[in-house]
Amino acid sequence: MARDILKALKNKKLPQMVDWYDPRLLAKIGVREVISSVMGQYADQRLLQAATDRASEDELANRYDYSNPQNEDQLKRIELDGKGAVWVDYIADLGDGFEPTYAMASLLASESLDLGDVGHLRHGEILIMGGDQAYPQASREQYRNRLQDPYDLAFTADDQPERKLFAVPGNHDWYDGLNAFDNLFCSARDRSSRGQGTMIGGWQCRQHRSYFAIQLPHNWWIWGADIQFSNNLDDGQINYFDLISEQMGPGDKVIICIAEPSWLEAEAQGYDEHENLNAISMLARKTGAQICAVLAGDWHHYSRYHSDNLGIHFITCGGGGAFAHATHQLKNKLTVHWPVATKTGETSDDSLAFDTAEKRIMKGDDNIDFKAQEFEISAQEDADENAPESAHKTRPRPPSAKRLLGEAEPFDHEKPHIYPSRLTSRLLSLRNFALPFHNFKFALGLGFIYFIYSWMAFGIDEEIQYFQGSFGTDTPYEKSIVWFVYLASQKSIAFFLMVVGLWFGLVKYVDTSVIKFKFLRPWVGATIGTAHFLAHLLAIAMMTMLVNGVIYLFSQFHNNITTIKPTADLTKQIAAIDNAHYASLRSFIAKGSYLQDPETLMEQRVEKVSQLQKIKVQRERDLFAAYRILGALLMIPLGGILGALVFGTYWVFTCTILSMHCGDAFGALMIKDYNHFLRMKFEKDKLTIYPIGLDRVPRARGWVEPSAAGPLRPNKPKIVPKKPLKIHLIEDPIVIHAKDAG
Ligand SMILES: [Fe+2]
């Protein structure tokens, strides 16, 4: 079995990183996105979940109550460590290529992880998957191949106590209308399951719907919300969390898991992005509970923003196996639109979106109102000496296992709260100079587009030359592409529309949301888009000239072998007829009689000339056919490489220098490394979050049979890395004291 897996891995038979710029995949995803967003509006799976979940209110409220480790109900028991703490893991954006997904699954499955100074960290009793559990479209097959298989193989032991699994759906989970997600993760809702859902490796799915509220010992809660394509929280979900909030009160502490980091999205998209997070946070706090941290995936990097005023950590942690995202575009300081409790009756003068959110979730008898305010959140530690008591202080840092694992003390944060580092991110972005070579299918797609443009231009070029009477000679526009486009556009409306369409598309494509001043955005977009357009136009012209050159050589060769003999024969025959005609005329002048009838000779000549013309026309047709074949053969791969070089250079320029298109540029790179997840330790008075990073994932040949790499592990993985995975803490452990929470 292990050998089969290793063989399949080496032969690339196991899932590879998703090639996001494969034109077929782009088209499929585009169609899926439209269909699923329409389906989501007309047939919201969440409403079906609520309708088919026939639990009483009491059952609903206490379903995931793991607060009592000695609970009579075995399904509600959770194992604590020797000091009474409960451990929970959080991972998001996983099922992509096999190697990174398996590497992360094997880390999660291990009994404990050795983190040097910090010591050994015990595995999580609960695993939270934070969204985008499989790529690209999260169908049942993709869940099976890209998520379940690696997790099953990483944790095969059936003699180990089951761990619990909960998942929040991300946009990729929603691409099939949430059907496959519901089938897999919400299987505990099936009557026949008796509350015990599907096993994925050593983890058992426990949730009944695509959202959940887990109660842990020591008044800690984890809420997972389903925001469906960042649209909204459905009524069933609001009712559920409203019911849960009634079980809570002052002294309860909440961690919210949500599919998107609205604090990052809002920077570009506006405050509306905060609506879902605001809604769920108001529900969590309306009876006095405190929110300590908000966790999100979707962006495949690690970043942590914090506000001392709010006492909340906003953590993005989407490195569960999906390709790495850029970090150099992240700002050190952001503004978050956060609801604060106000006196009853005080009106809110904030955005309409916020008012709508509040009205939807607050009831008349709730003794609390909220008002949205702006708070600065920072990815760097605040060195302000006047900061509140709860703030982390900057002191010399001698970390030791004893201190970090011992009694509560604020930690120093010397490392940036971003991973991979901004410098690494910029350097990685330079890899797009080699775009054609790591995204060859994308290059072929561009080559095909180049071919279409070039083919049209070729046809029009002949037409223009014919009308100008300059066929076959140098024409002025050959010195200017723009002049040619001008002339060609007069000849063909289709060509004109194609050129304008390309320009318009590339201008619209420019991601100007990073430009701070809105009035500048259209100008910046037009400038960068036009430069990009001209670069492609130049590339198409260069490739067309190259192909024309090859065709000219080909035509010479072609003429020599196919038309030289018949044309020469005919030319000779015409010359012979002409000679006969002259001889006949001379005979008439000298002797008064023709040697041959001139009319017959004329008829013969007309016939031969006509035959010659036909051959010439045939030759032109052959040339055009040759262009089609040669053009396709040359233009698609060579034009594609040139086009992808232009595109890659565009991404390097815009992403590295201007911080635009970072998602697209990094999607094309398919980087398997810089993975990460969170390990959390919940204790009576504090929560410690350990962000764990893995810089490099072993490649296909970096895995061996377990017997070849030391003693057997309790989780019995099918294959193990040749050398131990080099994990590290991304930053010092984040300690949240209950009193810090806002
Ligand atoms: Fe994702």
Side-chain angles (χ1 to χ4, degrees), residues 355-655:
D355 289 343
T356 313
E358 191 185 9
K359 275 176 200 139
R360 283 187 72 233
I361 61 164
M362 290 299 152
K363 293 182 184 146
D365 55 354
D366 290 329
N367 290 320
I368 193 162
D369 278 342
F370 286 99
K371 181 178 177 180
Q373 284 186 8
E374 291 176 12
F375 290 89
E376 191 175 75
I377 55 174
S378 172
Q380 287 181 329
E381 216 50 51
D382 195 347
D384 181 3
E385 292 191 355
N386 300 320
E389 184 69 18
S390 63
H392 299 291
K393 296 184 177 73
T394 306
R395 296 184 280 109
R397 173 180 162 264
S400 71
K402 210 170 179 185
R403 184 178 149 234
L404 292 172
L405 292 171
E407 291 311 305
E409 267 193 86
F411 293 103
D412 314 312
H413 291 264
E414 293 175 344
K415 292 179 188 169
H417 309 166
I418 282 171
Y419 174 76
S421 72
R422 289 188 171 97
L423 176 63
T424 306
S425 170
R426 277 185 209 279
L427 291 174
L428 288 172
S429 133
L430 297 180
R431 288 193 196 172
N432 268 318
F433 278 130
L435 182 70
F437 309 104
H438 49 73
N439 292 73
F440 195 62
K441 287 177 188 163
F442 178 59
L444 287 182
L446 283 179
F448 185 71
I449 294 170
Y450 271 33
F451 169 63
I452 305 256
Y453 276 85
S454 164
W455 186 4
M456 279 209 81
F458 180 80
I460 298 167
D461 178 42
E462 283 201 336
E463 208 178 319
I464 295 171
Q465 290 191 36
Y466 179 78
F467 277 106
Q468 289 195 338
S470 56
F471 196 80
T473 62
D474 277 358
T475 46
Y477 58 77
E478 281 178 359
K479 292 170 191 144
S480 161
I481 305 161
V482 176
W483 184 239
F484 171 76
V485 170
Y486 169 71
L487 287 178
S489 298
Q490 291 177 352
K491 294 279 166 220
S492 163
I493 182 75
F495 184 79
F496 172 74
L497 290 177
M498 277 169 63
V499 171
V500 170
L502 181 67
W503 173 79
F504 186 74
L506 291 174
V507 167
K508 288 302 283 181
Y509 176 64
V510 183
D511 172 17
T512 54
S513 60
V514 296
I515 308 289
K516 192 176 174 188
F517 301 107
K518 280 191 177 173
F519 72 94
L520 281 177
R521 290 180 184 179
W523 299 103
V524 173
T527 310
I528 295 176
T530 303
H532 190 192
F533 163 76
L534 289 174
H536 280 295
L537 217 54
L538 182 64
I540 293 171
M542 282 166 61
M543 282 310 301
T544 308
M545 272 149 63
L546 176 72
V547 171
N548 281 347
V550 174
I551 286 169
Y552 175 75
L553 292 176
F554 175 80
S555 69
Q556 295 304 305
F557 175 70
H558 175 82
N559 282 347
N560 288 343
I561 57 168
T562 59
T563 59
I564 195 156
K565 192 164 183 308
T567 46
D569 287 351
L570 282 167
T571 311
K572 271 186 202 162
Q573 287 169 26
I574 292 167
I577 292 169
D578 287 345
N579 285 340
H581 207 159
Y582 295 139
S584 195
L585 274 175
R586 280 198 297 274
S587 162
F588 180 75
I589 293 164
K591 300 175 187 172
S593 65
Y594 290 109
L595 290 176
Q596 289 179 60
D597 177 25
E599 279 191 17
T600 312
L601 282 173
M602 193 55 90
E603 277 169 16
Q604 284 174 357
R605 189 181 198 284
V606 166
E607 195 191 329
K608 295 293 173 191
V609 168
S610 163
Q611 281 176 15
L612 192 62
Q613 279 304 115
K614 271 184 192 161
I615 287 177
K616 282 185 176 169
V617 169
Q618 183 62 40
R619 200 182 73 193
E620 290 301 317
R621 277 195 200 140
D622 287 352
L623 256 182
F624 200 72
Y627 181 79
R628 285 181 191 181
I629 297 163
L630 270 177
L633 285 177
L634 288 172
M635 187 59 103
I636 293 177
L638 296 184
I641 289 172
L642 190 60
L645 276 174
V646 171
F647 229 105
T649 307
Y650 170 79
W651 274 338
V652 168
F653 173 72
T654 51
C655 173

Side-chain angles (χ1 to χ4, degrees), residues 265-287:
E265 307 263 354
E267 181 69 12
Q269 312 296 338
Y271 285 139
D272 284 357
E273 292 298 315
H274 286 308
E275 188 179 342
N276 286 317
L277 181 56
N278 284 346
I280 196 80
S281 77
M282 284 189 281
L283 278 163
R285 292 183 296 149
K286 71 181 202 172
T287 51

Side-chain angles (χ1 to χ4, degrees), residues 93 132 135 171-172 298 300 322:
D93 302 84
D132 291 353
Y135 294 92
N171 55 328
H172 289 270
D298 201 38
H300 308 165

